[in-house]
Protein backbone atom coordinates (compact mmCIF):
# COMPACT_ATOMS: atom_id res chain seq x y z
CA UNK A 1 0.00 0.00 0.00
CA UNK A 2 1.34 3.43 -0.95
CA UNK A 3 1.32 6.03 1.83
CA UNK A 4 1.47 9.79 1.53
CA UNK A 5 4.40 11.81 2.85
CA UNK A 6 2.16 13.39 5.51
CA UNK A 7 1.48 9.89 6.89
CA UNK A 8 5.22 9.36 7.36
CA UNK A 9 5.54 12.76 9.01
CA UNK A 10 2.73 11.93 11.43
CA UNK A 11 4.12 8.56 12.47
CA UNK A 12 7.62 10.01 12.85
CA UNK A 13 6.16 12.68 15.16
CA UNK A 14 4.31 9.99 17.08
CA UNK A 15 7.40 7.79 17.45
CA UNK A 16 9.55 10.80 18.33
CA UNK A 17 7.45 11.77 21.33
CA UNK A 18 9.58 9.71 23.75
CA UNK A 19 12.85 11.34 22.70
CA UNK A 20 11.11 14.74 22.86
CA UNK A 21 10.13 13.96 26.48
CA UNK A 22 13.71 12.94 27.23
CA UNK A 23 15.03 16.21 25.82
CA UNK A 24 12.51 18.21 27.83
CA UNK A 25 13.46 16.38 31.03
CA UNK A 26 17.18 17.02 30.41
CA UNK A 27 16.42 20.71 29.81
CA UNK A 28 14.51 20.92 33.10
CA UNK A 29 17.35 19.17 34.93
CA UNK A 30 19.85 21.61 33.42
CA UNK A 31 17.68 24.53 34.49
CA UNK A 32 17.41 23.15 38.04
CA UNK A 33 21.19 22.69 38.21
CA UNK A 34 21.72 26.32 37.14
CA UNK A 35 19.36 27.54 39.83
CA UNK A 36 21.03 25.36 42.46
CA UNK A 37 24.38 26.80 41.40
CA UNK A 38 22.94 30.29 41.75
CA UNK A 39 21.89 29.43 45.31
CA UNK A 40 25.49 28.47 46.15
CA UNK A 41 26.67 31.95 45.17
CA UNK A 42 24.54 34.27 47.31
CA UNK A 43 26.69 37.31 46.51
CA UNK A 44 25.42 37.18 42.97
CA UNK A 45 21.77 36.85 44.04
CA UNK A 46 19.48 39.82 44.50
CA UNK A 47 20.18 41.67 47.71
CA UNK A 48 17.80 42.33 50.61
CA UNK A 49 16.88 45.75 51.84
CA UNK A 50 14.60 46.64 54.75
CA UNK A 51 13.31 49.57 52.76
CA UNK A 52 10.34 48.91 50.51
CA UNK A 53 11.10 49.12 46.83
CA UNK A 54 9.23 49.06 43.57
CA UNK A 55 10.45 45.56 42.79
CA UNK A 56 7.87 42.86 42.43
CA UNK A 57 7.49 40.14 45.04
CA UNK A 58 9.47 36.98 44.44
CA UNK A 59 13.01 38.22 43.87
CA UNK A 60 15.93 36.83 45.81
CA UNK A 61 16.88 33.48 47.27
CA UNK A 62 13.38 32.51 48.39
CA UNK A 63 12.02 32.78 44.88
CA UNK A 64 14.90 30.64 43.58
CA UNK A 65 13.97 27.92 46.07
CA UNK A 66 10.37 28.05 44.89
CA UNK A 67 11.47 27.91 41.27
CA UNK A 68 13.62 24.86 42.00
CA UNK A 69 10.64 23.15 43.68
CA UNK A 70 8.42 23.90 40.67
CA UNK A 71 11.04 22.56 38.28
CA UNK A 72 11.41 19.39 40.35
CA UNK A 73 7.65 18.87 40.09
CA UNK A 74 7.89 19.39 36.33
CA UNK A 75 10.75 16.88 36.13
CA UNK A 76 8.65 14.26 37.94
CA UNK A 77 5.69 14.88 35.62
CA UNK A 78 7.98 14.73 32.60
CA UNK A 79 9.42 11.42 33.82
CA UNK A 80 5.93 9.96 34.15
CA UNK A 81 5.14 11.19 30.65
CA UNK A 82 8.36 9.60 29.35
CA UNK A 83 7.48 6.21 30.80
CA UNK A 84 3.98 6.39 29.32
CA UNK A 85 5.30 7.38 25.89
CA UNK A 86 8.01 4.72 25.97
CA UNK A 87 5.45 2.01 26.65
CA UNK A 88 3.24 3.27 23.81
CA UNK A 89 5.92 3.47 21.16
CA UNK A 90 7.59 0.22 22.25
CA UNK A 91 4.27 -1.53 21.68
CA UNK A 92 4.01 0.01 18.20
CA UNK A 93 7.63 -0.69 17.24
CA UNK A 94 7.12 -4.25 18.51
CA UNK A 95 4.89 -4.86 15.49
CA UNK A 96 7.98 -4.82 13.26
CA UNK A 97 9.66 -8.26 13.35
CA UNK A 98 12.50 -8.50 15.84
CA UNK A 99 15.99 -8.69 14.38
CA UNK A 100 15.15 -6.85 11.17
CA UNK A 101 17.12 -3.79 10.14
CA UNK A 102 13.93 -1.75 10.10
CA UNK A 103 13.15 -2.63 13.71
CA UNK A 104 16.72 -1.91 14.80
CA UNK A 105 16.62 1.46 13.06
CA UNK A 106 13.30 2.39 14.68
CA UNK A 107 14.65 1.47 18.13
CA UNK A 108 17.92 3.34 17.64
CA UNK A 109 16.19 6.41 16.23
CA UNK A 110 13.04 6.71 18.35
CA UNK A 111 13.98 5.05 21.64
CA UNK A 112 17.71 5.68 21.91
CA UNK A 113 17.46 9.02 20.10
CA UNK A 114 20.46 8.51 17.80
CA UNK A 115 21.04 10.67 14.75
CA UNK A 116 21.27 9.12 11.30
CA UNK A 117 25.07 9.33 11.24
CA UNK A 118 25.38 7.24 14.40
CA UNK A 119 22.76 4.71 13.26
CA UNK A 120 24.56 4.22 9.96
CA UNK A 121 27.93 3.71 11.68
CA UNK A 122 26.46 1.22 14.17
CA UNK A 123 24.71 -0.76 11.44
CA UNK A 124 27.42 -0.42 8.76
CA UNK A 125 24.98 0.84 6.15
CA UNK A 126 24.59 4.01 4.10
CA UNK A 127 22.19 6.73 5.15
CA UNK A 128 20.13 6.08 2.04
CA UNK A 129 19.78 2.40 2.92
CA UNK A 130 18.94 3.23 6.53
CA UNK A 131 16.19 5.59 5.42
CA UNK A 132 14.80 2.99 2.98
CA UNK A 133 14.71 0.42 5.79
CA UNK A 134 13.03 2.92 8.12
CA UNK A 135 10.43 3.73 5.48
CA UNK A 136 9.72 0.01 4.91
CA UNK A 137 9.22 -0.45 8.66
CA UNK A 138 6.96 2.61 8.80
CA UNK A 139 4.95 1.23 5.83
CA UNK A 140 4.39 -1.94 7.82
CA UNK A 141 3.19 0.05 10.82
CA UNK A 142 0.99 2.37 8.77
CA UNK A 143 -0.75 -0.62 7.21
CA UNK A 144 -2.06 -1.58 10.67
CA UNK A 145 -5.34 0.08 11.54
CA UNK A 146 -4.76 0.34 15.27
CA UNK A 147 -1.39 2.02 14.74
CA UNK A 148 -2.94 4.60 12.42
CA UNK A 149 -5.64 5.24 15.03
CA UNK A 150 -2.97 5.80 17.72
CA UNK A 151 -1.06 8.18 15.45
CA UNK A 152 -4.18 10.11 14.43
CA UNK A 153 -5.29 10.41 18.06
CA UNK A 154 -1.85 11.72 19.03
CA UNK A 155 -1.86 14.28 16.19
CA UNK A 156 -5.35 15.51 17.14
CA UNK A 157 -4.30 16.01 20.76
CA UNK A 158 -1.06 17.79 19.84
Amino acid sequence: MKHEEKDYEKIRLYLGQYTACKRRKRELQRRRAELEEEMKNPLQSAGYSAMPSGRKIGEGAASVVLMIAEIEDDILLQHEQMVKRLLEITKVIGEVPSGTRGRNILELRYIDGYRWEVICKKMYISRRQAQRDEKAALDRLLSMGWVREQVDKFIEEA
Side-chain angles (χ1 to χ4, degrees):
M1 179 178 179
K2 187 80 170 159
H3 298 100
E4 296 180 27
E5 193 57 39
K6 67 178 181 175
D7 294 328
Y8 295 113
E9 290 174 22
K10 287 179 183 178
I11 195 164
R12 285 182 179 117
L13 271 174
Y14 175 79
L15 293 174
Q17 62 185 321
Y18 170 68
T19 52
C21 285
K22 272 195 331 190
R23 274 193 302 276
R24 175 73 176 139
K25 182 180 174 189
R26 279 195 303 266
E27 180 62 28
L28 289 168
Q29 290 169 329
R30 182 199 57 77
R31 192 174 300 155
R32 179 185 61 196
E34 285 178 0
L35 289 170
E36 287 171 346
E37 189 62 34
E38 188 175 313
M39 288 292 295
K40 291 178 186 176
N41 300 313
L43 295 177
Q44 296 174 357
S45 297
Y48 172 77
S49 172
M51 296 298 296
S53 67
R55 290 192 292 193
K56 59 184 175 187
I57 298 174
E59 292 184 5
S63 68
V64 174
V65 171
L66 290 174
M67 289 170 59
I68 289 172
E70 286 178 16
I71 290 173
E72 286 176 351
D73 289 343
D74 290 346
I75 290 170
L76 288 173
L77 289 172
Q78 196 63 43
H79 182 76
E80 290 171 7
Q81 189 79 308
M82 275 177 49
V83 171
K84 180 182 172 190
R85 300 299 184 206
L86 179 61
L87 293 173
E88 287 176 12
I89 68 164
T90 301
K91 182 179 176 183
V92 170
I93 291 174
E95 293 295 329
V96 178
S98 183
T100 62
R101 272 200 317 224
R103 166 93 174 253
N104 292 340
I105 289 169
L106 293 181
E107 289 173 348
L108 290 170
R109 184 106 173 119
Y110 299 106
I111 295 176
D112 300 325
Y114 288 122
R115 295 174 180 247
W116 283 115
E117 297 79 26
V118 176
I119 293 169
C120 295
K121 280 183 180 179
K122 284 181 168 287
M123 298 187 69
Y124 303 104
I125 58 176
S126 69
R127 183 174 178 143
R128 184 177 173 115
Q129 183 61 51
Q131 289 174 330
R132 277 194 299 256
D133 291 339
E134 181 214 26
K135 193 169 184 177
L138 294 178
D139 280 332
R140 181 181 180 95
L141 294 175
L142 286 169
S143 67
M144 298 177 178
W146 73 270
V147 172
R148 285 187 84 102
E149 287 175 14
Q150 288 283 104
V151 171
D152 290 340
K153 180 180 172 189
F154 170 74
I155 296 299
E156 287 174 12
E157 292 174 358

